[in-house]
Structures are given as C-alpha cells and as structure tokens.
Amino acid sequence: MKVNFDTPIIEKECVLETVIGDLDNFYASASDIDRVNFFFILLASLHYYEENGDAVRAAHLSFLTAYYVFTPLTPPGSECLALHYMNKAVSLNPIPEYKEWLLIMGKGN
C-alpha cells in the first residue's frame, strides 16, 4: 500500500486492492502523526468516491475506515465511529465480509 499525503485521495486502482493487513502494516511502521493523518486520507477518499457515484469503492473505503478506527487506531469513541462506517459499507455494498465485520464491531472493543 502506497500512501501519498500530498494527494489526499487514494488512487482508483489501489482502493479495492487495499486489505486490512495493509492498514495494520502501515500503522505498525508509521509515525503517530501519519497514523492519524491516514485516517483523514481514508475519509477524504471515501467522500470522493461516494460523491462520484462509485458505491463499490466508497463501501470498501467505509469498511477500511471502520476497521482502521476500530482496530489499529482505536481513539476515544472508536466503537461508535467504526459502527457508523461499517453500517455505511453494508448499506452501499452488502457483501458477506462487511456483514461479518459489522457483527464483530457490534460486540465492542
């Protein structure tokens, strides 16, 4: 996974290729500032693809955002934020993986 903080939108070709292991690896190797800034890259990308009518990419970014805030980042309110974005992912593209993570996140962290 390549992160470019100068371009706050994840490239179209990279969105669906990004998996949760990529987020874990990024978090493990990034500085504290970059860890937080990456959350905003995910959000900006989510909004971009949603506004441009790309529900599949928006759903995947919503899933990645939920996972990132719930598991590696875990800020105050992470459970509430994760559930919001996971519900959005399921509403945009109700695939089994997203539904499974919704159940996991619903149990809390």
Side-chain angles (χ1 to χ4, degrees):
M1 181 178 75
K2 183 177 156 186
V3 178
N4 182 354
F5 290 107
D6 294 329
T7 306
I9 307 301
I10 298 171
E11 293 179 19
K12 186 175 186 175
E13 307 79 42
C14 299
V15 172
L16 298 178
E17 294 174 2
T18 304
V19 296
I20 58 177
D22 296 327
L23 303 182
D24 293 333
N25 291 337
F26 174 81
Y27 187 86
S29 64
S31 69
D32 289 341
I33 296 292
D34 286 348
R35 290 173 178 167
V36 173
N37 283 338
F38 183 64
F39 174 72
F40 293 102
I41 296 268
L42 289 169
L43 283 179
S45 298
L46 163 60
H47 289 283
Y48 173 82
Y49 289 106
E50 188 173 27
E51 289 171 4
N52 285 287
D54 192 337
V56 171
R57 281 182 179 76
H60 193 64
L61 285 159
S62 194
F63 161 67
L64 294 173
T65 301
Y67 176 83
Y68 191 71
V69 76
F70 187 77
T71 302
L73 195 57
T74 320
S78 63
E79 182 179 329
C80 177
L81 290 168
L83 286 172
H84 171 80
Y85 289 107
M86 206 61 245
N87 277 311
K88 178 181 257 222
V90 170
S91 72
L92 289 168
N93 189 16
I95 64 173
E97 180 181 20
Y98 300 165
K99 291 178 180 179
E100 290 172 27
W101 272 101
L102 182 59
L103 293 174
I104 291 167
M105 291 175 183
K107 294 177 183 176
N109 37 346

